Amino acid sequence: MNMNGGGNTARYFVSASYTEDQGMYNTDQTLRDDYDTNANYKKWNYRMNVDIDITKSTLLKLGIAGSLAKRNSPGLADNEMLWGMLFGYNPIATPVYYSNGYAPISHRDNVNKLNPWVASTQTGYNEDWQNNVQTNVTLEQNFDFITKGLKFVGRFGYDTDNSNWINRHRQPDLYKANGRRQETGRDYL
């Protein structure tokens, strides 16, 4: 969305945008009320510019731009760990859960492999926020009355970047493929 306008003394430009990319994982609908484990990315962008003619030879320019982004991912993350489990897991080797409620894990290539559905839906979630703001102020003074083409330009800018995250991980109850209990399920922050 863009808007611009103004008159002889001042002009403005305002822009805003929003994008959202949804994840492709199936989620556990019973957990949907508590938290969302699916991967997704949302981003809001904005910009505002104002040019003000203070005098016929003095121009003040103000600008602000920035973005706010939120990224959500499963507790084990949706990077190489989850994809590594997916590529190294035989989907018919074990059930999603044993009848006693424990999730099976298998040991292959010196790595414990958790069922990818359990890894993507039962291990909590990660929420990452990124915020950045860029500001600038420019003052242009035309000195044509002294010498044709002489101009002074002064600029000041200030940028800031902020990050915040919430990682709420959950360890489901696990059984190794040999039938021994691995760990007890627990929530931790």
Side-chain angles (χ1 to χ4, degrees):
M1 177 177 76
N2 296 324
M3 291 185 340
N4 61 11
N8 294 334
T9 306
R11 289 139 326 266
Y12 68 89
F13 172 79
V14 178
S15 172
S17 68
Y18 172 74
T19 60
E20 182 174 351
D21 298 324
Q22 291 293 323
M24 61 183 187
Y25 308 135
N26 286 331
T27 58
D28 186 345
Q29 295 302 318
T30 61
L31 296 174
R32 193 59 111 142
D33 292 337
D34 295 329
Y35 55 84
D36 187 7
T37 60
N38 204 348
N40 63 55
Y41 182 76
K42 299 175 184 178
K43 187 172 185 180
W44 299 264
N45 294 301
Y46 57 90
R47 172 173 291 283
M48 183 186 78
N49 295 330
V50 177
D51 294 351
I52 303 169
D53 294 323
I54 297 174
T55 67
K56 289 188 179 199
S57 62
T58 307
L59 175 63
L60 178 65
K61 296 180 178 182
L62 306 170
I64 185 168
S67 65
L68 176 64
K70 177 188 173 204
R71 183 177 185 278
N72 199 69
S73 62
L76 285 180
D78 54 355
N79 55 17
E80 67 277 348
M81 182 176 283
L82 181 58
W83 287 99
M85 286 182 198
L86 181 64
F87 291 128
Y89 195 85
N90 182 348
I92 60 171
T94 60
V96 175
Y97 281 108
Y98 290 124
S99 60
N100 62 3
Y102 285 76
I105 59 172
S106 62
H107 190 76
R108 185 173 160 200
D109 301 327
N110 293 325
V111 177
N112 284 333
K113 302 282 185 179
L114 184 61
N115 178 303
W117 185 84
V118 173
S120 66
T121 63
Q122 305 298 308
T123 59
Y125 67 96
N126 302 306
E127 190 175 281
D128 299 316
W129 290 87
Q130 300 289 324
N131 180 21
N132 73 56
V133 179
Q134 303 166 335
T135 60
N136 62 67
V137 178
T138 303
L139 181 65
E140 294 181 5
Q141 178 63 54
N142 189 335
F143 289 110
D144 276 346
F145 59 90
I146 297 174
T147 301
K148 184 124 175 105
L150 181 62
K151 184 190 271 190
F152 167 81
V153 178
R155 289 191 177 95
F156 173 78
Y158 180 76
D159 299 345
T160 181
D161 290 310
N162 300 297
S163 299
N164 187 6
W165 59 91
I166 298 170
N167 296 330
R168 179 160 178 136
H169 295 173
R170 180 180 182 280
Q171 175 69 50
D173 291 329
L174 302 174
Y175 259 114
K176 289 189 176 178
N178 63 10
R180 288 186 299 169
R181 186 170 175 226
Q182 173 75 11
E183 289 190 37
T184 304
R186 60 184 178 269
D187 290 338
Y188 44 98
L189 300 174

